[in-house]
Amino acid sequence: EVLGDPEVRLRIRALEALGAFGAEAKAALPELVQALKESPEGRASVAAERPVRVRAMEVLGMLGKEAKTALPELVPFLSAKDPDLCMKASEALVKIASSEELIPRLEQILKSDHAADNGYLGVLNAIRLMNPRTEFAVPLLATVLGKGVGGAEELLAPFGPAAAPKVILVATDRQADPQGRWNAMDLLETWGVVKTGALPALVQILK
């Protein structure tokens, strides 16, 4: 019942105590999900609710796969303007959902303009935490790269020429962000234009 208390600091303390219960905190899953939502009328401001949400995300992440019912409420926070909420949500999601479950949700976020408000920070962090060396990451990272978001090229670099086809598409896409195209060309240069087969595509850019 304390999780429904109008006093923010008491709810934060209750969430901290729940974290100490480990897997037994699953009994409070509905209340943890509710803690992520906007505060009901008569409670503190949304800004004051921020630490409550952060603590709730931490407990949900600790519950792991047992907290899958929280996915619909957690995913939108990947687009939050608040970097702490965004990062905490990505950390919790990677612990709760498998890569196969999370990838379609990340793809949906990338199609939305809302995620641009935080520079796709949550999406990039989720990919980074989900073992970014696996193949599924390349299309996602290439999409972020094409939006001119810093950090995508760093995660793509270890793939080497194997990721070149997707990166070439970004470099030659005149609808892509100019900075993203620049970063794509940097990657191709680093990997070797000949090795990547990018030479004909780069020549086309000059025409």
Side-chain angles (χ1 to χ4, degrees):
E1 292 185 5
V2 181
L3 289 181
D5 197 281
E7 186 67 41
V8 171
R9 65 191 184 108
L10 291 179
R11 277 183 283 147
I12 293 172
R13 186 68 192 92
L15 287 164
E16 290 172 345
L18 271 173
F21 279 90
E24 292 180 25
K26 181 185 176 183
L29 192 52
E31 289 75 19
L32 289 169
V33 172
Q34 183 62 39
L36 297 176
K37 300 179 180 179
E38 290 188 8
S39 57
E41 189 176 350
R43 282 192 184 169
S45 67
V46 172
E49 294 288 327
R50 177 178 168 279
V52 173
R53 290 171 173 161
V54 167
R55 295 294 182 281
M57 289 176 190
E58 290 174 345
V59 179
L60 288 167
M62 178 198 66
L63 289 174
K65 294 179 181 179
E66 297 294 331
K68 284 191 178 181
T69 55
L71 289 178
E73 293 296 334
L74 276 170
V75 169
F77 282 102
L78 290 178
S79 302
K81 291 182 180 179
D82 186 313
D84 285 342
L85 286 176
C86 178
M87 296 295 275
K88 284 294 181 184
S90 63
E91 291 168 9
L93 282 165
V94 170
K95 293 176 181 176
I96 294 168
S98 66
S99 298
E100 290 74 16
E101 292 169 319
L102 196 49
I103 290 166
R105 296 174 186 268
L106 296 179
E107 289 173 338
Q108 283 299 115
I109 289 174
L110 288 175
K111 294 176 182 177
S112 166
D113 292 334
H114 299 301
D117 292 340
N118 63 26
Y120 300 94
L121 182 66
V123 174
L124 278 174
N125 196 51
I127 295 172
R128 185 179 289 110
L129 294 172
M130 279 195 296
N131 185 9
R133 293 301 300 276
T134 53
E135 288 184 6
F136 76 80
V138 173
L140 289 173
L141 289 170
T143 300
V144 179
L145 181 70
K147 294 176 182 291
V149 180
E153 68 276 12
E154 294 175 13
L155 293 176
L156 275 165
F159 286 95
K166 292 291 185 183
V167 175
I168 290 171
L169 289 176
V170 174
T172 56
D173 182 1
R174 296 187 178 182
Q175 301 302 313
D177 182 272
Q179 185 60 53
R181 296 181 70 192
W182 180 289
N183 293 340
M185 290 183 218
D186 279 349
L187 279 171
L188 294 171
E189 182 181 5
T190 299
W191 294 333
V193 172
V194 176
K195 286 183 180 179
T196 59
L199 185 58
L202 293 174
V203 169
Q204 284 299 315
I205 295 173
L206 299 175
K207 293 182 177 182

